[in-house]
Structure formats: structure tokens, C-alpha cells
Amino acid sequence: MGTTGRPRSQAAHAAILKAALRLVAKRGFRAVSVNEIAAEAGVGKMTLYRHWPNKATVVMDALLELIGAETAFPEADSALESLRRQLYLQAAFFRSSRGNLIRSLVSEAQSDPELATAFRDRWLNPRREGVRQNIQAAISEGSLRADFNIDTAIDQLYGSLYYRLLLGSGAIDEQFIEDTYQQFLTGHKARQSVRR
Amino acid sequence: MGTTGRPRSQAAHAAILKAALRLVAKRGFRAVSVNEIAAEAGVGKMTLYRHWPNKATVVMDALLELIGAETAFPEADSALESLRRQLYLQAAFFRSSRGNLIRSLVSEAQSDPELATAFRDRWLNPRREGVRQNIQAAISEGSLRADFNIDTAIDQLYGSLYYRLLLGSGAIDEQFIEDTYQQFLTGHKARQSVRR
DNA sequence: TAGAAACGATACCCTCGGTATCGTTATGGG
DNA sequence: CCCATAACGATACCGAGGGTATCGTTTCTA
């Protein structure tokens, strides 16, 4: 078997991810070199390349392993309220320095098809699936209609957030989130809201 | 005066922009080198750097000078119809190879604050201003309400287009555009549509 | 305890954006 | 008409950075 030899250092693995997260969140992907990440982690450059095939994959893993759960759906009394709160979480995430991770990866993905696929498969689609299930729960609860295209609705909900993050056309503040949520509600709520 | 000496070659200027547009539309910003652009234009590299300070600015100018008018607002019977048709134009533009220019510039702007400012000032904001005037015309015509935040509405209209262009989460096809337009209308149309 | 593989360090390669400098060429003010 | 001036194409060069190769050393397991 391939089980012989010195094992990979989990400490080095974790230190590299942590260093990559810190540096890229603070200064952005392009401004940080692989040498810096390795030095910050107290590790040789070659150790980094033994664990990951390239710089972008390190940052992708840092995003998923260290802060992937930061935008999970919060518990709430209704599916709609959970959706609304998740929008606020996503906005806070985008406003924070960690938003730089998303900006960096989307930027690199424009010229790196493998990274683009990985970003969709590992970050975007799982989150979209969460939103889809939430919306379907809201439909089951009778608070949303059932006759709209869910994918398009998700794009309209989250597209404007990514737009402001990447284009910097305006603040991702509470007013903006509330307006976006209300606009979604206006177009998709059930005509007769179920009451109890 | 500084009017002495050999004048700048307008032919070289135009050839460089055309070469940059062709190559970047086909293969993307990062995959095309400055040497290639100059060679394709039949020009020395230094001539390029005499006309522009860096690679990104060349592509920015190519976008504005060669295809800036491609997404102007079409004439129509009503402001709303003009807006709807402009969405279709923008979608066709994003679907075409020229969409690579936008993807490239947004990508580079993530690590180049000057480019980010130029992209907003020269591309985004003028187009947003056109949308704003169109929306205000629609309000004046009585087909839209007057009590919503126009900037947020613009982000919701166009944000999902940029989202699909940059994230590749779905096709920017007619169905998507129509759904997006209808969702905007549902949330912002006047309660009593004016008829004649 | 011996072989295999990961470790940190470091030298190296290659591409590419941008600069410097060459001799040459086109202009326009005097 | 002619000469100072600046742009021209070509080419050598610089520096940064991603990724590789190789060193002697260390740590594991069979």
C-alpha cells in the first residue's frame, strides 16, 4: 500500500489554510504571494505544493474549511424568516474582509476554468441548494406561490449581492437587503397568506 | 508648445484597439500577452505603451471606443418597452464573445483600484444613468410607481445578468430576461396602469 | 531498524508586464 | 527648405511571481 513513509503534517495543512485566509482577506489574492503564505504559516513552499496543486486551490479550501458554515440558514419560526435572516448573514459576510475571498476566487475563476467549476460545485451550488430547499419549504407553508422558476428567483435574490460585492456600485447594507427581500416577496408571495 | 516632433499615429492607435478587442474577446485577458496584441496590430510594444499606461487600460478603451454604443436604449413606443428591449440587447451582448471583455475587466478590477474606478466611471455609471432616466420616464408616463429606490431597482434588474455572466450559474437567455423583467414590473408598476 | 516519503530551505526556470535604448522616420516651426 | 523633436519598430533587459527540482534531515511504519 502507499501507507509507508512519513505522514503528511496536519499541523502544516491547517497552518497554511489559516495563513492563506488571513493574508488574502486582508490584502487580496493577487497581492499575496505563495512565498508569503508559506512563510506566514512557518512552512516550506514545497510543503504547500505537496498539499495543493496551486495557489487558488489553497484559498478555495481555506474558504470552505474555515468559514464555509458562516452563512448557514438560521433557525426561525418560518421558512421565510429563515431566508430573510440568511440574507442578512450573507450581507454581513460580504461586507467583512472575508468578502475578499469571494472577490478573489471569482476574479481568478474568469481565467481558470477548473477553478470556476470548483467554485460552482463546492461553494455556489450547495448554497443555492440550501436556498432552494428553503423556498420550497416556504411554498409548502403556503407563504410563497408555486408557479415561478426557482433558479431565476435565486439569481435575483443573490445576484444583486454579488453585483455590489464585485462592482462596488453601492453598499451591501441593511436597507439594501431589506429592499431586495421585499421585492422578492412582492413578486413571489402567495396571494392569500396563510394565517393561523 | 509641445506640438513639435512626429505626431502619434492614429492608425497604430486604432490597430491596437482592434487587436486587443479581437484577442481578448476570443481568449480572455489573462491568456493574451501585450506582445501578442502589439504583434497582431503590426506595431512595436513600445508604441502601445506610448499610447496607454498599461494593458488593462487598452482593453477598457477598446470596450468603450469600439462597442460602447452596442447597448444603447432602443427607440420604442413607451419607456417601459425601451427598457425591456435594452435588457435583451444587454443579454445578447453578454452572451457574445464580447462578454469576455466585461468578465476580464471586472476580474482585473478586483486587484486594481484604478481600473475599478475607471470601469465604474466610464462604463457602469453612464449606463446606470441611462437606465435611471428611462425609469424616471416610465414613472412620468404613469406606468411605474414613484416611491422605490431606483439604485436598488437597477441593481436588481442588472445584477442577476452580471451574476450569470461572472459565475456561469445559468444561461442568459430570453426566458431569463423575460422573467427578470416581469419580476421587476410586478414589484414596481403603478397600481392603476394608465391607459388611453 | 531500514526504507519510504514528507519536511524546511533554497536555487532555479519560465512567463509576462513594463522599461530602456537602439537607429530610423515623419513633421512642422523658423 | 531643413533641422530639432518626438514617435516609430525592434530588441534587450529588469523584476516579480507561480511553480519545480533537489538538498540533507526527520518521522513514521512495516
Side-chain angles (χ1 to χ4, degrees):
Chain A
M1 304 304 159
T3 65
T4 154
R6 181 177 176 174
R8 295 276 177 86
S9 164
Q10 293 186 348
H13 186 98
I16 290 168
L17 289 184
K18 189 176 167 187
L21 174 65
R22 261 174 45 87
L23 291 174
V24 173
K26 186 186 296 182
R27 306 192 352 238
F29 185 85
R30 300 284 282 279
V32 173
S33 72
V34 174
N35 278 318
E36 273 182 292
I37 295 174
E40 171 92 2
V43 146
K45 189 181 182 180
M46 270 314 293
T47 297
L48 187 151
Y49 280 106
R50 278 189 205 97
H51 288 247
W52 292 275
N54 54 56
K55 183 182 168 187
T57 309
V58 178
V59 177
M60 183 82 222
D61 277 7
L63 172 68
L64 290 170
E65 295 189 19
L66 300 186
I67 56 181
E70 220 166 79
T71 56
F73 274 81
E75 294 283 338
D77 289 344
S78 69
L80 270 189
E81 182 57 22
S82 177
L83 174 64
R84 185 170 157 279
R85 289 194 194 163
Q86 203 275 338
L87 275 174
Y88 276 85
L89 283 184
Q90 183 101 0
F93 174 59
F94 277 11
R95 275 198 309 269
S96 79
S97 68
R98 291 170 151 94
N100 276 335
L101 284 253
I102 304 295
R103 293 176 58 213
S104 296
L105 290 170
V106 173
S107 170
E108 294 304 304
Q110 301 307 313
S111 57
D112 182 342
E114 284 189 25
L115 177 61
T117 298
F119 186 79
R120 278 195 297 272
D121 290 349
R122 303 178 64 199
W123 175 263
L124 263 192
N125 287 342
R127 276 149 190 82
R128 290 178 70 90
E129 187 54 36
V131 178
R132 187 191 324 277
Q133 289 178 7
N134 179 283
I135 288 178
Q136 271 161 345
I139 293 173
S140 295
E141 292 175 5
S143 35
L144 291 184
R145 288 162 34 215
D147 62 347
F148 60 90
N149 183 305
I150 295 187
D151 276 312
T152 301
I154 294 175
D155 284 1
Q156 286 162 355
L157 262 178
Y158 288 88
S160 59
L161 289 190
Y162 277 87
Y163 179 80
R164 290 205 168 186
L165 176 69
L166 293 164
L167 280 301
S169 65
I172 309 180
D173 54 16
E174 300 208 346
Q175 183 62 60
F176 176 64
I177 297 303
E178 196 60 37
D179 286 354
T180 300
Y181 174 74
Q182 291 300 333
Q183 164 67 6
F184 167 78
L185 215 57
T186 301
H188 300 94
K189 71 182 172 193
R191 314 216 186 272
Q192 294 280 355
S193 200
V194 168
R195 300 179 193 167
R196 58 173 64 220
Chain B
M1 304 304 163
T3 65
T4 159
R6 178 175 180 175
R8 294 276 178 88
S9 163
Q10 294 185 348
H13 186 96
I16 291 167
L17 289 184
K18 189 175 166 187
L21 174 64
R22 260 175 47 85
L23 291 173
V24 173
K26 186 186 296 182
R27 304 189 356 235
F29 186 86
R30 299 285 281 281
V32 174
S33 73
V34 174
N35 278 319
E36 272 182 291
I37 295 175
E40 170 95 0
V43 146
K45 187 181 181 180
M46 271 313 293
T47 298
L48 186 150
Y49 280 106
R50 279 189 204 96
H51 289 248
W52 291 275
N54 54 56
K55 182 182 169 188
T57 310
V58 178
V59 178
M60 182 82 222
D61 277 7
L63 172 67
L64 290 170
E65 295 188 20
L66 300 186
I67 56 181
E70 221 166 79
T71 56
F73 275 82
E75 294 284 338
D77 289 343
S78 69
L80 270 188
E81 183 57 21
S82 178
L83 174 65
R84 185 170 157 278
R85 290 195 195 162
Q86 203 275 338
L87 275 174
Y88 277 85
L89 285 182
Q90 182 101 0
F93 174 60
F94 277 11
R95 274 198 308 269
S96 79
S97 68
R98 292 170 151 91
N100 276 336
L101 283 257
I102 304 294
R103 292 176 59 211
S104 296
L105 290 170
V106 173
S107 170
E108 293 304 303
Q110 301 309 315
S111 57
D112 181 344
E114 285 189 25
L115 177 61
T117 298
F119 186 79
R120 278 195 297 270
D121 291 350
R122 302 178 64 198
W123 175 263
L124 262 193
N125 287 342
R127 275 150 191 81
R128 290 178 69 91
E129 186 55 36
V131 178
R132 188 192 324 277
Q133 289 178 7
N134 180 281
I135 287 178
Q136 271 161 345
I139 293 172
S140 295
E141 292 174 7
S143 36
L144 292 184
R145 287 163 35 215
D147 63 345
F148 60 89
N149 184 305
I150 294 187
D151 277 311
T152 301
I154 295 175
D155 285 0
Q156 286 161 354
L157 261 178
Y158 289 87
S160 59
L161 288 189
Y162 278 88
Y163 178 81
R164 288 206 171 185
L165 176 69
L166 293 164
L167 281 301
S169 65
I172 310 180
D173 55 16
E174 300 208 348
Q175 184 61 59
F176 175 65
I177 298 302
E178 197 59 39
D179 286 353
T180 299
Y181 174 73
Q182 291 299 334
Q183 163 68 6
F184 167 78
L185 215 58
T186 301
H188 300 94
K189 71 181 173 197
R191 314 218 187 271
Q192 294 280 353
S193 199
V194 168
R195 300 178 193 170
R196 60 175 59 218

